[in-house]
Amino acid sequence: DNQQTVDQLKRASRHVQRRIELISFAKGLAHSHFVVGVLAILLVLAGRHWLEWQKGEIWLVLALIGATVFVIAIMAFIKKPGVMDSLLALDLRGGWKDQFSSAWEFLHRDAQTPGEALHVKRTVQRVNDAVDALPGCLPLPSLKFAWILPLLAVLLALSPLGRTTPDANDLVLTDE
């Protein structure tokens, strides 16, 4: 019975961990989209002006955006809290008054008092309610405008805007 209770709290913890990862990922996107979009636009314009790029800029833009999303995802995964910390976050943000974190602590003691056993039993009955309330307790940050600049960079890379016209002298035809 104790192992089943531990498993239920671990399941709740995994839900919280995934939600915190998603929030961290969304925050990373929200904080980086402007810099990535502007950098991509500047790289495209600089490459067209100084390096006289005529095609292929889209791959640079997509690589920059993809690398940024990858790094943000890795960072969100690395910063994922452990079981106890995720249960503490659930308690704090959900208004559960240390119910889940203390139950986890009680489960890992050598012997439980009758009061601790009752607390654990009542906590297990509320696990599903707490997991169902997660989206309200841990809301995602708004990403309403986070796609605009990266999309503009992609559109610029696909358009001929800003490309230099090749010098006719450089386009001398050979016999082939």
Side-chain angles (χ1 to χ4, degrees):
D1 189 44
N2 230 12
Q3 185 59 42
Q4 186 178 14
T5 303
V6 168
D7 291 342
Q8 285 180 303
L9 287 176
K10 280 184 178 181
R11 185 183 60 79
S13 171
R14 282 192 300 275
H15 283 285
V16 175
Q17 288 170 335
R18 280 193 297 267
R19 187 71 180 185
I20 290 173
E21 280 181 287
L22 187 58
I23 290 169
S24 181
F25 179 74
K27 283 182 179 179
L29 290 178
H31 291 129
S32 67
H33 78 278
F34 182 79
V35 172
V36 170
V38 169
L39 181 61
I41 289 170
L42 290 176
L43 284 173
V44 168
L45 293 175
R48 288 178 178 179
H49 180 72
W50 287 297
L51 301 175
E52 298 179 2
W53 287 347
Q54 296 298 318
K55 61 180 180 176
E57 302 94 345
I58 187 64
W59 301 114
L60 175 68
V61 171
L62 292 177
L64 179 63
I65 293 170
T68 302
V69 169
F70 179 75
V71 168
I72 291 170
I74 294 297
M75 294 303 294
F77 179 76
I78 289 172
K79 292 194 292 187
K80 173 177 63 173
V83 174
M84 182 63 157
D85 289 334
S86 63
L87 292 174
L88 279 169
L90 179 62
D91 287 336
L92 178 66
R93 297 300 299 262
W96 293 100
K97 299 180 182 174
D98 295 335
Q99 183 169 8
F100 296 101
S101 56
S102 60
W104 181 258
E105 181 68 29
F106 296 156
L107 283 170
H108 289 86
R109 289 189 181 167
D110 291 335
Q112 294 177 4
T113 66
E116 291 171 348
L118 180 62
H119 175 81
V120 169
K121 181 180 176 186
R122 287 183 178 165
T123 299
V124 168
Q125 295 170 349
R126 293 183 165 178
V127 166
N128 291 333
D129 294 337
V131 169
D132 291 342
L134 266 180
C137 300
L138 296 168
L140 293 175
S142 175
L143 295 175
K144 189 183 332 184
F145 300 110
W147 57 272
I148 293 174
L149 274 175
L151 179 65
L152 287 176
V154 167
L155 292 175
L156 177 65
L158 291 172
S159 76
L161 188 66
R163 285 196 177 122
T164 56
T165 307
D167 188 1
N169 294 331
D170 292 338
L171 301 175
V172 176
L173 297 176
T174 62
D175 291 337
E176 294 175 8

